[in-house]
Structure formats: structure tokens, C-alpha cells
Amino acid sequence: MSDAKKPDLENPVQDFVANRWSPVSFDGRSIERGELLSIFEAARWAPSAFNEQPWRYIVASREDGEPFEAILSCLVDANQTWARHAGAIALGVTALSFERNSKPNTYARHDLGLASGQLCAEAAARGVQVHQMAGILPDRARELYGIPENFEAVTALALGYPGENLELDEGIRARDGQARSRRPMAAILFGKSWDEPFGQN
Ligand SMILES: Cc1cc2nc3c(=O)[nH]c(=O)nc-3n(C[C@H](O)[C@H](O)[C@H](O)COP(=O)(O)O)c2cc1C
């Protein structure tokens, strides 16, 4: 991990949190099948509202050839440019209604995000980085994979080992040298009232 990507922590966190980031440049190595399955196993064990587990993933490894090209075609062009060099690409899909009563599941996207967050943490602990994307073509994904009406493709995830990829345009590669930034803790964690930072008098 380059110094630019190291988080400017206000409080200590576990390595797998500190070391996670979203690269655009991957070194071209494929992800071993067992490794990939363990990463999705972590998503499987995420908590969810009523334990509905609304998330589904569709995945292809680059070495698979045609299935990888198919999943790549579900990304917007700007994301395809760099994601084509990832070891694997997945689509994050979620159910929109509860299986138990068919009512709308307003927590569905939350729970897909939570599963993907857990997946990212497991991946980071294994030296694999995940770059998530909202820039996808959900209608193309629906048509290509036969995604049912009550499900929706929400994100894509490019997984791989970060490393210099000289096939990428320098302008895109430069993104991996940019510092990661976050709002200060005082702007996101409140105590007695809105906007009043937690832990201050
Ligand atoms: C839901 C979601 C959608 C995103 N969409 C895109 C995208 O379409 N293209 C892209 O290059 N990065 C995308 N990102 C990556 C974010 O830009 C990145 O996570 C953010 O800048 C923080 O950087 P870090 O993950 O390295 O800490 C997305 C991330 C998330 C979680």
C-alpha cells in the first residue's frame, strides 16, 4: 500500500480496515478460486433485516474469458477502461421486497452494502482489494443474466491485487497516487444533539 493510500486515522483501527482501498490499477494476477469463494463467504454471513439476506452476486474471473467479457459489458465505459484488468468482476444485486410477505424491503440496499462491506474487509485481510462501482448498466445486466423483476443490480465490484498496470492511461493510473480523504470524526459522530460532536463538552 502506497503512503498516499494510508488513512489519516484519528483513532486506531484493525489492519484490514486501514488497508482497504479502491485501486484502479491491478497487477493482472488472477484470484485463486478458493480465495474468491472465501471473500463471498464473508458477504454471506453479513447481518440483514429479518435475516432476509436480500443480496445476490454474479461473478466472473478474468481467466474465464467470455463470461468475464459479458460481466464487463454491464459497466459504463469509464469503469470498463480500468476494471477490465481486475482479477474478477461481480455484480451486486438485491431483492427489492421481503420474501416473507412480499412487502417492499426498504433496507435491501443497506443490506447489500453491508454484505459488500464485509466482503471488502475479508478481501483486504487477504491482500485483495475491491473497487465498487455505481457506474453500471442495470438493464443490460437484467437482460444478460435474466435477473427477475423483483431484484435490481445496484453495484459492480472489481476485485484484484493492486499493482502498476502500464496498459492503463497515465491519467487514470494517477488516481492510485491520490490521497484518500474523509470528513473529520466531529462531522459524522454526534452526541447530545445534531452537529454536536460526540465526546466534546
Ligand atoms: C456504492 C459505490 C459506488 C462507487 N462507484 C464508483 C464508480 O462508478 N466508479 C469508480 O471509479 N469508483 C466508484 N466508487 C469508489 C469510490 O469513489 C471510493 O470508494 C471512494 O472514493 C473512497 O476511496 P477508497 O475506497 O479508496 O477509500 C464507488 C464506491 C461505492 C461504495
Side-chain angles (χ1 to χ4, degrees):
M1 185 187 211
S2 73
D3 281 351
K5 294 298 173 189
K6 287 201 180 119
D8 181 12
L9 295 170
E10 292 183 33
N11 300 278
V13 295
Q14 300 295 322
D15 284 350
F16 65 87
V17 175
N19 295 343
R20 186 217 58 82
W21 61 290
S22 304
V24 289
S25 193
F26 294 98
D27 72 1
R29 262 186 297 160
S30 56
I31 305 166
E32 192 260 316
R33 189 57 43 113
E35 195 81 345
L36 195 57
L37 289 172
S38 287
I39 289 168
F40 283 94
E41 183 78 34
R44 182 172 166 244
W45 285 98
S48 60
F50 295 104
N51 198 22
E52 276 270 333
Q53 307 154 60
W55 52 77
R56 304 287 186 276
Y57 293 94
I58 299 167
V59 65
S61 291
R62 193 149 55 83
E63 74 246 27
D64 294 343
E66 193 270 325
F68 185 79
E69 291 301 320
I71 204 160
L72 190 65
S73 75
C74 297
L75 312 188
V76 299
D77 288 346
N79 285 331
Q80 280 194 30
T81 313
W82 55 266
R84 66 172 59 253
H85 303 280
I89 295 176
L91 288 172
V93 182
T94 190
L96 297 171
S97 53
F98 287 113
E99 207 168 56
R100 57 208 294 271
N101 58 14
S102 301
K103 289 192 175 156
N105 181 353
T106 51
Y107 308 102
R109 291 181 189 85
H110 169 280
D111 289 349
L112 170 65
L114 191 52
S116 293
Q118 204 152 294
L119 177 161
C120 288
E122 179 72 31
R126 293 168 179 272
V128 174
Q129 295 296 349
V130 182
H131 191 149
Q132 298 177 80
M133 290 158 265
I136 65 166
L137 305 170
D139 293 342
R140 166 139 186 89
R142 187 181 297 288
E143 193 187 317
L144 202 58
Y145 296 103
I147 297 172
E149 268 308 303
N150 58 327
F151 284 78
E152 181 183 272
V154 180
T155 52
L157 306 89
L159 300 94
Y161 298 94
E164 195 164 41
N165 175 1
L166 296 174
E167 284 178 57
L168 266 189
D169 214 68
E170 210 182 314
I172 300 174
R173 256 190 293 143
R175 286 172 61 182
D176 284 354
Q178 287 162 6
R180 296 172 59 224
S181 68
R182 289 298 187 268
R183 296 178 203 275
M185 277 290 276
I188 64 158
L189 184 64
F190 307 146
K192 287 182 199 134
S193 66
W194 186 256
D195 262 355
E196 190 177 330
F198 174 80
Q200 319 251 318
N201 294 323

PDB file of all heavy atoms in Angstrom, residues 41-70:
ATOM      1  N   GLU A  41     -17.956 -15.730   0.857  1.00  0.00           N
ATOM      2  CA  GLU A  41     -18.466 -16.337   2.102  1.00  0.00           C
ATOM      3  C   GLU A  41     -18.651 -15.245   3.171  1.00  0.00           C
ATOM      4  O   GLU A  41     -19.612 -15.277   3.941  1.00  0.00           O
ATOM      5  CB  GLU A  41     -17.486 -17.411   2.584  1.00  0.00           C
ATOM      6  CG  GLU A  41     -17.919 -18.173   3.825  1.00  0.00           C
ATOM      7  CD  GLU A  41     -18.960 -19.256   3.537  1.00  0.00           C
ATOM      8  OE1 GLU A  41     -18.913 -19.864   2.464  1.00  0.00           O
ATOM      9  OE2 GLU A  41     -19.822 -19.465   4.410  1.00  0.00           O
ATOM     10  N   ALA A  42     -17.731 -14.298   3.183  1.00  0.00           N
ATOM     11  CA  ALA A  42     -17.825 -13.196   4.162  1.00  0.00           C
ATOM     12  C   ALA A  42     -19.095 -12.380   3.924  1.00  0.00           C
ATOM     13  O   ALA A  42     -19.770 -11.966   4.867  1.00  0.00           O
ATOM     14  CB  ALA A  42     -16.588 -12.309   4.069  1.00  0.00           C
ATOM     15  N   ALA A  43     -19.446 -12.173   2.653  1.00  0.00           N
ATOM     16  CA  ALA A  43     -20.689 -11.451   2.335  1.00  0.00           C
ATOM     17  C   ALA A  43     -21.889 -12.255   2.821  1.00  0.00           C
ATOM     18  O   ALA A  43     -22.856 -11.711   3.364  1.00  0.00           O
ATOM     19  CB  ALA A  43     -20.786 -11.219   0.829  1.00  0.00           C
ATOM     20  N   ARG A  44     -21.813 -13.546   2.634  1.00  0.00           N
ATOM     21  CA  ARG A  44     -22.917 -14.444   3.003  1.00  0.00           C
ATOM     22  C   ARG A  44     -23.277 -14.334   4.481  1.00  0.00           C
ATOM     23  O   ARG A  44     -24.434 -14.495   4.871  1.00  0.00           O
ATOM     24  CB  ARG A  44     -22.490 -15.872   2.651  1.00  0.00           C
ATOM     25  CG  ARG A  44     -23.508 -16.921   2.910  1.00  0.00           C
ATOM     26  CD  ARG A  44     -23.055 -18.273   2.339  1.00  0.00           C
ATOM     27  NE  ARG A  44     -23.876 -19.322   2.872  1.00  0.00           N
ATOM     28  CZ  ARG A  44     -23.463 -20.306   3.644  1.00  0.00           C
ATOM     29  NH1 ARG A  44     -22.182 -20.439   3.927  1.00  0.00           N
ATOM     30  NH2 ARG A  44     -24.313 -21.193   4.105  1.00  0.00           N
ATOM     31  N   TRP A  45     -22.288 -14.032   5.314  1.00  0.00           N
ATOM     32  CA  TRP A  45     -22.507 -14.020   6.766  1.00  0.00           C
ATOM     33  C   TRP A  45     -22.785 -12.635   7.320  1.00  0.00           C
ATOM     34  O   TRP A  45     -22.747 -12.413   8.534  1.00  0.00           O
ATOM     35  CB  TRP A  45     -21.334 -14.717   7.470  1.00  0.00           C
ATOM     36  CG  TRP A  45     -21.488 -16.187   7.258  1.00  0.00           C
ATOM     37  CD1 TRP A  45     -20.859 -16.951   6.313  1.00  0.00           C
ATOM     38  CD2 TRP A  45     -22.419 -17.047   7.922  1.00  0.00           C
ATOM     39  NE1 TRP A  45     -21.336 -18.245   6.358  1.00  0.00           N
ATOM     40  CE2 TRP A  45     -22.287 -18.342   7.339  1.00  0.00           C
ATOM     41  CE3 TRP A  45     -23.353 -16.875   8.945  1.00  0.00           C
ATOM     42  CZ2 TRP A  45     -23.052 -19.429   7.751  1.00  0.00           C
ATOM     43  CZ3 TRP A  45     -24.115 -17.967   9.359  1.00  0.00           C
ATOM     44  CH2 TRP A  45     -23.952 -19.223   8.759  1.00  0.00           C
ATOM     45  N   ALA A  46     -23.109 -11.714   6.437  1.00  0.00           N
ATOM     46  CA  ALA A  46     -23.477 -10.372   6.905  1.00  0.00           C
ATOM     47  C   ALA A  46     -24.847 -10.419   7.578  1.00  0.00           C
ATOM     48  O   ALA A  46     -25.687 -11.255   7.228  1.00  0.00           O
ATOM     49  CB  ALA A  46     -23.506  -9.404   5.727  1.00  0.00           C
ATOM     50  N   PRO A  47     -25.085  -9.521   8.531  1.00  0.00           N
ATOM     51  CA  PRO A  47     -26.434  -9.430   9.111  1.00  0.00           C
ATOM     52  C   PRO A  47     -27.377  -8.733   8.140  1.00  0.00           C
ATOM     53  O   PRO A  47     -26.942  -8.010   7.238  1.00  0.00           O
ATOM     54  CB  PRO A  47     -26.214  -8.561  10.355  1.00  0.00           C
ATOM     55  CG  PRO A  47     -24.996  -7.749  10.062  1.00  0.00           C
ATOM     56  CD  PRO A  47     -24.157  -8.536   9.095  1.00  0.00           C
ATOM     57  N   SER A  48     -28.677  -8.960   8.311  1.00  0.00           N
ATOM     58  CA  SER A  48     -29.658  -8.277   7.445  1.00  0.00           C
ATOM     59  C   SER A  48     -31.000  -8.202   8.148  1.00  0.00           C
ATOM     60  O   SER A  48     -31.291  -8.989   9.052  1.00  0.00           O
ATOM     61  CB  SER A  48     -29.819  -9.035   6.114  1.00  0.00           C
ATOM     62  OG  SER A  48     -30.262 -10.360   6.340  1.00  0.00           O
ATOM     63  N   ALA A  49     -31.819  -7.248   7.729  1.00  0.00           N
ATOM     64  CA  ALA A  49     -33.145  -7.072   8.330  1.00  0.00           C
ATOM     65  C   ALA A  49     -33.954  -8.357   8.170  1.00  0.00           C
ATOM     66  O   ALA A  49     -34.082  -8.880   7.057  1.00  0.00           O
ATOM     67  CB  ALA A  49     -33.867  -5.905   7.653  1.00  0.00           C
ATOM     68  N   PHE A  50     -34.487  -8.860   9.267  1.00  0.00           N
ATOM     69  CA  PHE A  50     -35.262 -10.119   9.312  1.00  0.00           C
ATOM     70  C   PHE A  50     -34.475 -11.311   8.747  1.00  0.00           C
ATOM     71  O   PHE A  50     -35.065 -12.289   8.310  1.00  0.00           O
ATOM     72  CB  PHE A  50     -36.596  -9.979   8.554  1.00  0.00           C
ATOM     73  CG  PHE A  50     -37.543  -8.983   9.171  1.00  0.00           C
ATOM     74  CD1 PHE A  50     -37.725  -7.740   8.595  1.00  0.00           C
ATOM     75  CD2 PHE A  50     -38.220  -9.277  10.345  1.00  0.00           C
ATOM     76  CE1 PHE A  50     -38.573  -6.807   9.166  1.00  0.00           C
ATOM     77  CE2 PHE A  50     -39.086  -8.357  10.922  1.00  0.00           C
ATOM     78  CZ  PHE A  50     -39.263  -7.118  10.333  1.00  0.00           C
ATOM     79  N   ASN A  51     -33.164 -11.179   8.725  1.00  0.00           N
ATOM     80  CA  ASN A  51     -32.295 -12.221   8.147  1.00  0.00           C
ATOM     81  C   ASN A  51     -32.739 -12.615   6.740  1.00  0.00           C
ATOM     82  O   ASN A  51     -32.651 -13.774   6.350  1.00  0.00           O
ATOM     83  CB  ASN A  51     -32.230 -13.462   9.057  1.00  0.00           C
ATOM     84  CG  ASN A  51     -31.043 -14.358   8.727  1.00  0.00           C
ATOM     85  OD1 ASN A  51     -30.063 -13.908   8.135  1.00  0.00           O
ATOM     86  ND2 ASN A  51     -31.137 -15.635   9.070  1.00  0.00           N
ATOM     87  N   GLU A  52     -33.194 -11.618   5.973  1.00  0.00           N
ATOM     88  CA  GLU A  52     -33.690 -11.892   4.613  1.00  0.00           C
ATOM     89  C   GLU A  52     -32.558 -12.162   3.631  1.00  0.00           C
ATOM     90  O   GLU A  52     -32.764 -12.756   2.589  1.00  0.00           O
ATOM     91  CB  GLU A  52     -34.522 -10.714   4.108  1.00  0.00           C
ATOM     92  CG  GLU A  52     -35.956 -10.756   4.559  1.00  0.00           C
ATOM     93  CD  GLU A  52     -36.878 -11.497   3.593  1.00  0.00           C
ATOM     94  OE1 GLU A  52     -36.595 -11.555   2.386  1.00  0.00           O
ATOM     95  OE2 GLU A  52     -37.902 -12.023   4.080  1.00  0.00           O
ATOM     96  N   GLN A  53     -31.366 -11.661   3.946  1.00  0.00           N
ATOM     97  CA  GLN A  53     -30.211 -11.856   3.045  1.00  0.00           C
ATOM     98  C   GLN A  53     -30.596 -11.514   1.604  1.00  0.00           C
ATOM     99  O   GLN A  53     -30.537 -12.372   0.723  1.00  0.00           O
ATOM    100  CB  GLN A  53     -29.719 -13.300   3.145  1.00  0.00           C
ATOM    101  CG  GLN A  53     -29.426 -13.747   4.573  1.00  0.00           C
ATOM    102  CD  GLN A  53     -29.549 -15.240   4.773  1.00  0.00           C
ATOM    103  OE1 GLN A  53     -28.832 -16.002   4.128  1.00  0.00           O
ATOM    104  NE2 GLN A  53     -30.447 -15.652   5.651  1.00  0.00           N
ATOM    105  N   PRO A  54     -31.000 -10.258   1.368  1.00  0.00           N
ATOM    106  CA  PRO A  54     -31.523  -9.897   0.049  1.00  0.00           C
ATOM    107  C   PRO A  54     -30.464  -9.863  -1.050  1.00  0.00           C
ATOM    108  O   PRO A  54     -30.800  -9.820  -2.230  1.00  0.00           O
ATOM    109  CB  PRO A  54     -32.100  -8.491   0.275  1.00  0.00           C
ATOM    110  CG  PRO A  54     -31.283  -7.925   1.390  1.00  0.00           C
ATOM    111  CD  PRO A  54     -30.994  -9.090   2.291  1.00  0.00           C
ATOM    112  N   TRP A  55     -29.200  -9.888  -0.675  1.00  0.00           N
ATOM    113  CA  TRP A  55     -28.119  -9.763  -1.660  1.00  0.00           C
ATOM    114  C   TRP A  55     -27.964 -11.021  -2.504  1.00  0.00           C
ATOM    115  O   TRP A  55     -28.208 -12.137  -2.048  1.00  0.00           O
ATOM    116  CB  TRP A  55     -26.787  -9.468  -0.950  1.00  0.00           C
ATOM    117  CG  TRP A  55     -26.509 -10.461   0.158  1.00  0.00           C
ATOM    118  CD1 TRP A  55     -26.059 -11.740   0.014  1.00  0.00           C
ATOM    119  CD2 TRP A  55     -26.717 -10.262   1.555  1.00  0.00           C
ATOM    120  NE1 TRP A  55     -25.952 -12.358   1.252  1.00  0.00           N
ATOM    121  CE2 TRP A  55     -26.356 -11.478   2.204  1.00  0.00           C
ATOM    122  CE3 TRP A  55     -27.155  -9.193   2.317  1.00  0.00           C
ATOM    123  CZ2 TRP A  55     -26.427 -11.625   3.586  1.00  0.00           C
ATOM    124  CZ3 TRP A  55     -27.233  -9.365   3.691  1.00  0.00           C
ATOM    125  CH2 TRP A  55     -26.870 -10.558   4.312  1.00  0.00           C
ATOM    126  N   ARG A  56     -27.562 -10.787  -3.752  1.00  0.00           N
ATOM    127  CA  ARG A  56     -27.105 -11.852  -4.651  1.00  0.00           C
ATOM    128  C   ARG A  56     -25.892 -11.284  -5.370  1.00  0.00           C
ATOM    129  O   ARG A  56     -25.814 -10.078  -5.584  1.00  0.00           O
ATOM    130  CB  ARG A  56     -28.163 -12.236  -5.698  1.00  0.00           C
ATOM    131  CG  ARG A  56     -29.518 -12.647  -5.142  1.00  0.00           C
ATOM    132  CD  ARG A  56     -29.488 -14.035  -4.494  1.00  0.00           C
ATOM    133  NE  ARG A  56     -30.830 -14.449  -4.097  1.00  0.00           N
ATOM    134  CZ  ARG A  56     -31.428 -14.096  -2.941  1.00  0.00           C
ATOM    135  NH1 ARG A  56     -30.788 -13.351  -2.059  1.00  0.00           N
ATOM    136  NH2 ARG A  56     -32.666 -14.498  -2.681  1.00  0.00           N
ATOM    137  N   TYR A  57     -24.983 -12.136  -5.789  1.00  0.00           N
ATOM    138  CA  TYR A  57     -23.833 -11.681  -6.571  1.00  0.00           C
ATOM    139  C   TYR A  57     -23.704 -12.544  -7.818  1.00  0.00           C
ATOM    140  O   TYR A  57     -23.993 -13.743  -7.784  1.00  0.00           O
ATOM    141  CB  TYR A  57     -22.533 -11.771  -5.752  1.00  0.00           C
ATOM    142  CG  TYR A  57     -22.484 -10.811  -4.577  1.00  0.00           C
ATOM    143  CD1 TYR A  57     -22.890 -11.206  -3.304  1.00  0.00           C
ATOM    144  CD2 TYR A  57     -22.050  -9.497  -4.749  1.00  0.00           C
ATOM    145  CE1 TYR A  57     -22.861 -10.325  -2.228  1.00  0.00           C
ATOM    146  CE2 TYR A  57     -22.022  -8.605  -3.672  1.00  0.00           C
ATOM    147  CZ  TYR A  57     -22.426  -9.032  -2.413  1.00  0.00           C
ATOM    148  OH  TYR A  57     -22.400  -8.144  -1.347  1.00  0.00           O
ATOM    149  N   ILE A  58     -23.300 -11.918  -8.896  1.00  0.00           N
ATOM    150  CA  ILE A  58     -22.947 -12.630 -10.128  1.00  0.00           C
ATOM    151  C   ILE A  58     -21.467 -12.336 -10.316  1.00  0.00           C
ATOM    152  O   ILE A  58     -21.046 -11.173 -10.184  1.00  0.00           O
ATOM    153  CB  ILE A  58     -23.766 -12.099 -11.325  1.00  0.00           C
ATOM    154  CG1 ILE A  58     -25.264 -12.319 -11.088  1.00  0.00           C
ATOM    155  CG2 ILE A  58     -23.316 -12.766 -12.630  1.00  0.00           C
ATOM    156  CD1 ILE A  58     -26.172 -11.561 -12.053  1.00  0.00           C
ATOM    157  N   VAL A  59     -20.665 -13.345 -10.572  1.00  0.00           N
ATOM    158  CA  VAL A  59     -19.218 -13.107 -10.623  1.00  0.00           C
ATOM    159  C   VAL A  59     -18.569 -13.836 -11.788  1.00  0.00           C
ATOM    160  O   VAL A  59     -19.049 -14.904 -12.206  1.00  0.00           O
ATOM    161  CB  VAL A  59     -18.553 -13.505  -9.269  1.00  0.00           C
ATOM    162  CG1 VAL A  59     -18.672 -14.990  -8.993  1.00  0.00           C
ATOM    163  CG2 VAL A  59     -17.098 -13.051  -9.188  1.00  0.00           C
ATOM    164  N   ALA A  60     -17.509 -13.272 -12.318  1.00  0.00           N
ATOM    165  CA  ALA A  60     -16.695 -13.938 -13.344  1.00  0.00           C
ATOM    166  C   ALA A  60     -15.231 -13.571 -13.123  1.00  0.00           C
ATOM    167  O   ALA A  60     -14.915 -12.424 -12.786  1.00  0.00           O
ATOM    168  CB  ALA A  60     -17.138 -13.509 -14.739  1.00  0.00           C
ATOM    169  N   SER A  61     -14.348 -14.558 -13.289  1.00  0.00           N
ATOM    170  CA  SER A  61     -12.904 -14.309 -13.194  1.00  0.00           C
ATOM    171  C   SER A  61     -12.382 -13.963 -14.581  1.00  0.00           C
ATOM    172  O   SER A  61     -12.915 -14.449 -15.586  1.00  0.00           O
ATOM    173  CB  SER A  61     -12.182 -15.567 -12.701  1.00  0.00           C
ATOM    174  OG  SER A  61     -12.519 -15.807 -11.359  1.00  0.00           O
ATOM    175  N   ARG A  62     -11.318 -13.166 -14.609  1.00  0.00           N
ATOM    176  CA  ARG A  62     -10.797 -12.740 -15.916  1.00  0.00           C
ATOM    177  C   ARG A  62     -10.366 -13.941 -16.751  1.00  0.00           C
ATOM    178  O   ARG A  62     -10.559 -13.981 -17.955  1.00  0.00           O
ATOM    179  CB  ARG A  62      -9.643 -11.752 -15.748  1.00  0.00           C
ATOM    180  CG  ARG A  62      -9.271 -11.053 -17.050  1.00  0.00           C
ATOM    181  CD  ARG A  62      -8.747  -9.672 -16.795  1.00  0.00           C
ATOM    182  NE  ARG A  62      -7.646  -9.729 -15.858  1.00  0.00           N
ATOM    183  CZ  ARG A  62      -6.387  -9.996 -16.210  1.00  0.00           C
ATOM    184  NH1 ARG A  62      -6.075 -10.188 -17.455  1.00  0.00           N
ATOM    185  NH2 ARG A  62      -5.453 -10.040 -15.296  1.00  0.00           N
ATOM    186  N   GLU A  63      -9.802 -14.941 -16.073  1.00  0.00           N
ATOM    187  CA  GLU A  63      -9.312 -16.097 -16.836  1.00  0.00           C
ATOM    188  C   GLU A  63     -10.471 -16.910 -17.451  1.00  0.00           C
ATOM    189  O   GLU A  63     -10.243 -17.762 -18.301  1.00  0.00           O
ATOM    190  CB  GLU A  63      -8.426 -16.996 -15.968  1.00  0.00           C
ATOM    191  CG  GLU A  63      -9.156 -17.838 -14.944  1.00  0.00           C
ATOM    192  CD  GLU A  63      -8.827 -17.444 -13.502  1.00  0.00           C
ATOM    193  OE1 GLU A  63      -8.482 -16.265 -13.263  1.00  0.00           O
ATOM    194  OE2 GLU A  63      -8.930 -18.319 -12.633  1.00  0.00           O
ATOM    195  N   ASP A  64     -11.719 -16.611 -17.044  1.00  0.00           N
ATOM    196  CA  ASP A  64     -12.874 -17.326 -17.608  1.00  0.00           C
ATOM    197  C   ASP A  64     -13.145 -16.905 -19.053  1.00  0.00           C
ATOM    198  O   ASP A  64     -13.903 -17.569 -19.760  1.00  0.00           O
ATOM    199  CB  ASP A  64     -14.140 -17.063 -16.772  1.00  0.00           C
ATOM    200  CG  ASP A  64     -14.047 -17.642 -15.368  1.00  0.00           C
ATOM    201  OD1 ASP A  64     -13.167 -18.498 -15.145  1.00  0.00           O
ATOM    202  OD2 ASP A  64     -14.827 -17.228 -14.497  1.00  0.00           O
ATOM    203  N   GLY A  65     -12.566 -15.771 -19.481  1.00  0.00           N
ATOM    204  CA  GLY A  65     -12.731 -15.327 -20.870  1.00  0.00           C
ATOM    205  C   GLY A  65     -14.093 -14.729 -21.147  1.00  0.00           C
ATOM    206  O   GLY A  65     -14.416 -13.645 -20.679  1.00  0.00           O
ATOM    207  N   GLU A  66     -14.912 -15.460 -21.885  1.00  0.00           N
ATOM    208  CA  GLU A  66     -16.199 -14.920 -22.357  1.00  0.00           C
ATOM    209  C   GLU A  66     -17.115 -14.453 -21.210  1.00  0.00           C
ATOM    210  O   GLU A  66     -17.664 -13.344 -21.273  1.00  0.00           O
ATOM    211  CB  GLU A  66     -16.876 -15.956 -23.262  1.00  0.00           C
ATOM    212  CG  GLU A  66     -18.042 -15.429 -24.070  1.00  0.00           C
ATOM    213  CD  GLU A  66     -19.353 -15.579 -23.301  1.00  0.00           C
ATOM    214  OE1 GLU A  66     -19.506 -16.583 -22.558  1.00  0.00           O
ATOM    215  OE2 GLU A  66     -20.203 -14.680 -23.436  1.00  0.00           O
ATOM    216  N   PRO A  67     -17.287 -15.217 -20.131  1.00  0.00           N
ATOM    217  CA  PRO A  67     -18.132 -14.729 -19.025  1.00  0.00           C
ATOM    218  C   PRO A  67     -17.605 -13.429 -18.418  1.00  0.00           C
ATOM    219  O   PRO A  67     -18.381 -12.582 -17.965  1.00  0.00           O
ATOM    220  CB  PRO A  67     -18.080 -15.871 -17.997  1.00  0.00           C
ATOM    221  CG  PRO A  67     -17.705 -17.079 -18.776  1.00  0.00           C
ATOM    222  CD  PRO A  67     -16.824 -16.610 -19.888  1.00  0.00           C
ATOM    223  N   PHE A  68     -16.277 -13.265 -18.439  1.00  0.00           N
ATOM    224  CA  PHE A  68     -15.699 -12.020 -17.903  1.00  0.00           C
ATOM    225  C   PHE A  68     -16.046 -10.855 -18.829  1.00  0.00           C
ATOM    226  O   PHE A  68     -16.423  -9.778 -18.361  1.00  0.00           O
ATOM    227  CB  PHE A  68     -14.182 -12.165 -17.756  1.00  0.00           C
ATOM    228  CG  PHE A  68     -13.526 -10.979 -17.107  1.00  0.00           C
ATOM    229  CD1 PHE A  68     -13.563 -10.806 -15.728  1.00  0.00           C
ATOM    230  CD2 PHE A  68     -12.868 -10.025 -17.875  1.00  0.00           C
ATOM    231  CE1 PHE A  68     -12.970  -9.700 -15.128  1.00  0.00           C
ATOM    232  CE2 PHE A  68     -12.267  -8.916 -17.288  1.00  0.00           C
ATOM    233  CZ  PHE A  68     -12.318  -8.758 -15.910  1.00  0.00           C
ATOM    234  N   GLU A  69     -15.938 -11.083 -20.140  1.00  0.00           N
ATOM    235  CA  GLU A  69     -16.290 -10.027 -21.104  1.00  0.00           C
ATOM    236  C   GLU A  69     -17.760  -9.653 -20.947  1.00  0.00           C
ATOM    237  O   GLU A  69     -18.135  -8.484 -21.074  1.00  0.00           O
ATOM    238  CB  GLU A  69     -16.014 -10.497 -22.541  1.00  0.00           C
ATOM    239  CG  GLU A  69     -14.538 -10.656 -22.883  1.00  0.00           C
ATOM    240  CD  GLU A  69     -13.745  -9.359 -22.719  1.00  0.00           C
ATOM    241  OE1 GLU A  69     -14.265  -8.291 -23.076  1.00  0.00           O
ATOM    242  OE2 GLU A  69     -12.613  -9.425 -22.202  1.00  0.00           O
ATOM    243  N   ALA A  70     -18.599 -10.649 -20.672  1.00  0.00           N
ATOM    244  CA  ALA A  70     -20.040 -10.399 -20.521  1.00  0.00           C
ATOM    245  C   ALA A  70     -20.312  -9.503 -19.316  1.00  0.00           C
ATOM    246  O   ALA A  70     -21.043  -8.505 -19.421  1.00  0.00           O
ATOM    247  CB  ALA A  70     -20.784 -11.730 -20.377  1.00  0.00           C
TER     248      ALA A  70
END
